[in-house]
Amino acid sequence: MFRNLVALALMALPLAAERSQIWSAQEMCAEAHSIVIGERVGASKVRVEEWLMEPPDGEKASHVIEIMGLEKNQKVVVVPGLAQKAQGPVTWRLKSQRLMCFLVEKGGRWQAMAQGETGSSGLVWIEEGQCYVYQQIKDQDDPGRTAYSLVASRFCQTEAQLLARVRQGLGDRKKWEEVLAIESPEEQAIVLCSYLLRRTSPESEYGTYRKRVRTLLSSLGEHAVGELVILLRNATEGDKFDEAVLILKDLGPLAKPAVLDIVRLLQNPGSVDAAIAIEALGRIGDATVAPHLLPFLTDTLAVRAEVAGAMAQFGYRDSIKLLEKALPDSDAVNAEDAHHIYAMLQALHELGSEEAPRLTANYLRVPAMGHMHNLLEPFLQGPAEE
């Protein structure tokens, strides 16, 4: 009863995304070489109850397997947020030897995915039907060091839920492998584009394979452009097109047929991140869209910096005065603004702004811009030569 209450308390806590990471079952299904569920019968040995995903080489699908480093996975459950004044966080030790393991093959031997010194992202302990996973926690004092804590799973709380997620994840993987096997670039582009929107994706609300679509579509050139244009033109309420526009940015001038569709998205708030869309338009390089971007010089500094960069790529000198006015007051600048200000000053310099040296000198006097001195110094020399 105590453990159930503590587990419920953990599940109610907000996830500190900037400090910790737990791989989803879908992500592990996409990366694993094999998946087993069974019982630990030795320091590093597991008696396999079922191969949920068999090895590529069927001969390795034995009943007892050895998993390198299995003995390193500590079994003390930690409950963040439930600390005792003297003793620290509430903990207890798992007694169960039942586990599910997402395996990778290394040198002909099995190892749990992302095996660390005290835990593994690819191992799930199961006790009394409840699931426990290793959460990676970054050391605040040493960002390069990652420790593991064993916690009650919040994503697959029970064994039944975990099994359902894994079977769905393996189904998603099979569909993805079928996409990769398509030989026709036109047909492959059509199916890949379906992954970019939640309502059309073969993996529904999950984005495991959506992250991989960008590289593949970018390699399909004009076949990708044609399908992406169709995707943008068939937008419905709630669709988000950031991934699609990033691919068009990668394609550069080849994506010119999509520029008006990207402009239309910009005029429909919420359908695309403005900074992403404007950067894409700059990379594509069609200067006819420049007047549509100038109103965004009243947006956030990050968006204004992208507008400036696009104007420089267009060579649109008519924007110089507006860009100069869009720079923030030097007295209000902080360290987070430095990169964006540099981008705007660089654009003014490339466009031949006569005010660029004076504006640069003003910002160089700001302490928050001190680390940018070497980058800004060339802009003190006057307009760039044509």
Side-chain angles (χ1 to χ4, degrees):
M1 177 65 73
F2 171 72
R3 277 187 283 183
N4 288 340
L5 290 173
V6 175
L8 288 171
L10 173 62
M11 294 167 194
L13 294 173
L15 181 65
E18 73 283 359
R19 293 184 57 252
S20 62
Q21 175 188 358
I22 298 177
W23 288 25
S24 71
Q26 280 74 18
E27 290 171 322
M28 291 192 288
C29 284
E31 298 291 343
H33 297 164
S34 292
I35 305 171
V36 298
I37 187 167
E39 184 177 3
R40 180 181 178 183
V41 292
S44 60
K45 290 186 177 181
V46 171
R47 182 170 58 242
V48 178
E49 174 186 312
E50 181 181 0
W51 285 89
L52 298 170
M53 176 183 172
E54 290 197 358
D57 181 354
E59 293 182 4
K60 295 178 183 176
S62 55
H63 295 296
V64 177
I65 61 172
E66 184 171 2
I67 301 176
M68 289 190 301
L70 182 60
E71 71 282 355
K72 296 180 180 179
N73 295 274
Q74 56 83 22
K75 297 176 68 177
V76 177
V77 180
V78 177
V79 186
L82 291 182
Q84 299 171 346
K85 289 184 179 179
Q87 289 78 21
V90 172
T91 63
W92 79 84
R93 185 175 182 83
L94 290 179
K95 296 179 181 178
S96 172
Q97 300 295 335
R98 187 168 174 75
L99 54 76
M100 181 182 291
C101 203
F102 298 81
L103 301 169
V104 291
E105 188 177 2
K106 292 193 174 183
R109 302 176 67 189
W110 291 121
Q111 185 178 63
M113 290 175 61
Q115 179 65 58
E117 294 181 4
T118 59
S120 162
S121 297
L123 193 153
V124 183
W125 292 105
I126 304 168
E127 183 168 275
E128 297 179 1
Q130 302 295 309
C131 295
Y132 300 87
V133 297
Y134 292 97
Q135 176 176 274
Q136 296 181 48
I137 301 179
K138 293 183 179 179
D139 192 320
Q140 296 283 336
D141 299 322
D142 182 5
R145 181 178 178 273
T146 300
Y148 283 92
S149 289
L150 186 60
V151 299
S153 174
R154 288 143 45 97
F155 302 108
C156 296
Q157 299 174 16
T158 67
E159 180 178 350
Q161 290 174 342
L162 176 61
L163 283 167
R165 288 282 183 89
V166 168
R167 297 193 192 283
Q168 180 179 352
L170 291 175
D172 291 342
R173 176 171 175 151
K174 182 180 179 183
K175 292 175 186 175
W176 179 251
E177 290 171 347
E178 291 170 353
V179 174
L180 297 182
I182 297 174
E183 295 183 1
S184 164
E186 296 91 345
E187 183 182 347
Q188 192 176 58
I190 292 170
V191 182
L192 287 171
C193 280
S194 70
Y195 277 86
L196 296 175
L197 297 180
R198 179 170 174 171
R199 64 181 171 84
T200 60
S201 175
E203 54 178 344
S204 66
E205 74 268 26
Y206 301 106
T208 305
Y209 296 98
R210 188 179 307 143
K211 301 169 185 175
R212 306 176 184 205
V213 167
R214 182 176 176 182
T215 299
L216 287 171
L217 272 176
S218 296
S219 70
L220 293 179
E222 60 184 15
H223 301 296
V225 173
E227 292 306 320
L228 288 166
V229 167
I230 293 173
L231 188 77
L232 268 53
R233 291 179 183 175
N234 286 281
T236 63
E237 189 68 29
D239 285 344
K240 287 285 291 180
F241 292 95
D242 290 353
E243 289 90 352
V245 173
L246 282 169
I247 297 165
L248 291 166
K249 181 194 80 171
D250 294 341
L251 290 164
L254 196 62
K256 200 172 241 186
V259 292
L260 293 180
D261 297 290
I262 298 174
V263 169
R264 179 179 52 80
L265 291 178
L266 270 171
Q267 296 167 348
N268 181 23
S271 59
V272 67
D273 181 278
I276 290 174
I278 293 168
E279 183 184 9
L281 289 168
R283 185 76 62 85
I284 294 168
D286 186 344
T288 61
V289 304
H292 296 288
L293 306 188
L294 293 176
F296 288 89
L297 287 174
T298 60
D299 210 305
T300 65
L301 183 57
V303 172
R304 280 179 273 164
E306 293 298 345
V307 174
M311 295 303 125
Q313 288 176 300
F314 297 153
Y316 196 72
R317 290 178 52 83
D318 288 350
S319 67
I320 289 176
K321 295 301 179 185
L322 292 172
L323 294 176
E324 291 169 351
K325 291 179 181 178
L327 280 163
D329 184 28
S330 59
D331 294 335
V333 170
N334 57 50
E336 295 179 359
D337 299 332
H339 173 73
H340 302 308
I341 292 170
Y342 165 73
M344 296 184 73
L345 290 172
Q346 181 182 40
L348 285 168
H349 179 70
E350 292 176 2
L351 287 167
S353 165
E354 295 180 357
E355 287 293 301
R358 180 185 64 81
L359 293 168
T360 300
N362 286 342
Y363 284 111
L364 280 173
R365 288 192 283 267
V366 178
M369 299 292 295
H371 65 291
M372 305 289 287
H373 188 278
N374 290 341
L375 292 173
L376 292 173
E377 199 169 41
F379 307 156
L380 295 171
Q381 306 306 315
E385 294 184 6
E386 298 193 13

